[in-house]
Amino acid sequence: MSDVRIVVAGASGRMGRALVRVIAETKNCVLSGALEAKGHPDFGQDAGALAGLKPLGVLLTDDPAAVMAKANAVVEFTIPRVSVMLAALAAEAGAVHVVGTTGCSPEDDAKIADAAKRTVIVKSGNMSLGVTLLAALVKQAAKALPDFDIEIVEMHHNKKVDAPSGTALLLGEAAAQGRSITLSDHAIRARDGHTGARAEGAIGFASLRGGTVVGEHEVILAGTGERIALSHSAEDRAIFARGAVAAALWGQGKKPGLYTMTDVLGL
């Protein structure tokens, strides 16, 4: 099997460097391109050296079209407008696109879904294999316990810009699917003041921010006289990078379409 050529967007960021390291240690993978924004201070540096490895001969560039033309996959945890742009380029190149970006608007999601008609796109609010399994458990629990109240609590580092986290929303969607309801019609994202009694069937969210927390998520199902908590703790960003690279490999040879990590794990 020939090596899968992978481009990393946002390659000098924390997640980008983690991706570079995971690609370097993964069999049948090779880093073929490293992207950063125009004018970035690390522009022109070796992506391997930035990630703490020996130089890989792949320099940071701001020309996505050039590196995508020779790639089998692109992996990124960036910002919505970049994800949309890369989805279009991946569709043109026939490359697998793995999207770990959160905070996409409905319009962004529609553009990514349109690109997925022409190539494989794997998009998830969390690329962790453990979180993917947790979501499957949440869906099953929500279905089995239809009268239990559901609350989702998440905490991340103080630099995170979106709330609730993409993972919390992924878990909320799993709970909603378990009950055959629409999350947007039942989500409660904030409570303040005299809110009244909890609405029946609501799925509540609480977002905490502070320090250097990589990611903590807990789904609480509270019934009469008993409570169940399903949780996941991320201790190292490498777990997201490993899941994303696994998705890039899984997508090779698949039919065009919009997939999730649930598909990658076969759940």
Side-chain angles (χ1 to χ4, degrees):
M1 177 181 176
S2 58
D3 288 339
V4 175
R5 297 172 57 82
I6 302 178
V7 170
V8 173
S12 72
R14 288 177 296 183
M15 273 307 307
R17 296 183 192 205
L19 285 165
V20 170
R21 290 191 290 270
V22 169
I23 290 169
E25 69 186 26
T26 302
K27 186 179 180 180
N28 295 326
C29 285
V30 62
L31 181 71
S32 65
L35 291 170
E36 264 303 347
K38 190 179 294 292
H40 193 281
D42 291 330
F43 181 77
Q45 294 194 46
D46 187 278
L50 285 172
L53 307 173
K54 66 180 181 180
L56 299 175
V58 179
L59 305 183
L60 267 65
T61 177
D62 60 1
D63 188 354
V67 294
M68 287 295 296
K70 301 177 182 178
N72 303 119
V74 57
V75 182
E76 46 101 4
F77 295 73
T78 58
I79 57 176
R81 64 177 178 80
V82 173
S83 295
V84 170
M85 178 269 290
L86 289 173
L89 290 176
E92 291 177 11
V96 173
H97 183 194
V98 179
V99 186
T101 301
T102 60
C104 290
S105 68
E107 292 76 17
D108 296 327
D109 284 334
K111 292 175 182 177
I112 291 171
D114 184 64
K117 296 175 182 177
R118 293 171 286 154
T119 196
V120 173
I121 296 182
V122 181
K123 185 176 186 295
S124 179
N126 191 300
M127 290 289 165
S128 157
L129 303 179
V131 165
T132 303
L133 179 58
L134 174 62
L137 295 174
V138 168
K139 180 178 179 180
Q140 184 177 3
K143 181 178 181 179
L145 303 170
D147 297 327
F148 280 50
D149 297 327
I150 298 176
E151 294 287 318
I152 300 171
V153 182
E154 56 100 347
M155 184 170 184
H156 284 82
H157 53 87
N158 57 21
K159 300 294 190 294
K160 188 166 179 61
V161 298
D162 57 313
S165 68
T167 302
L169 293 173
L170 180 153
L171 295 171
E173 287 287 0
Q177 290 171 13
R179 293 187 173 173
S180 299
I181 60 176
T182 303
L183 180 62
S184 60
D185 293 335
H186 293 80
I188 303 296
R189 298 196 178 195
R191 295 185 177 98
D192 184 43
H194 191 279
T195 62
R198 190 182 196 279
E200 184 177 351
I203 297 176
F205 292 87
S207 297
L208 311 178
R209 297 289 178 268
T212 57
V213 178
V214 175
E216 302 280 343
H217 294 86
E218 183 175 38
V219 180
I220 301 166
L221 295 97
T224 302
E226 59 182 331
R227 184 171 70 250
I228 296 170
L230 302 171
S231 65
H232 178 272
S233 298
E235 300 175 354
D236 187 337
R237 285 182 177 80
I239 66 172
F240 310 123
R242 292 190 192 101
V245 172
L249 293 173
W250 174 88
Q252 301 301 312
K254 296 291 189 299
K255 293 181 179 180
L258 184 59
Y259 300 91
T260 68
M261 287 301 289
T262 300
D263 298 305
V264 175
L265 283 188
L267 296 173

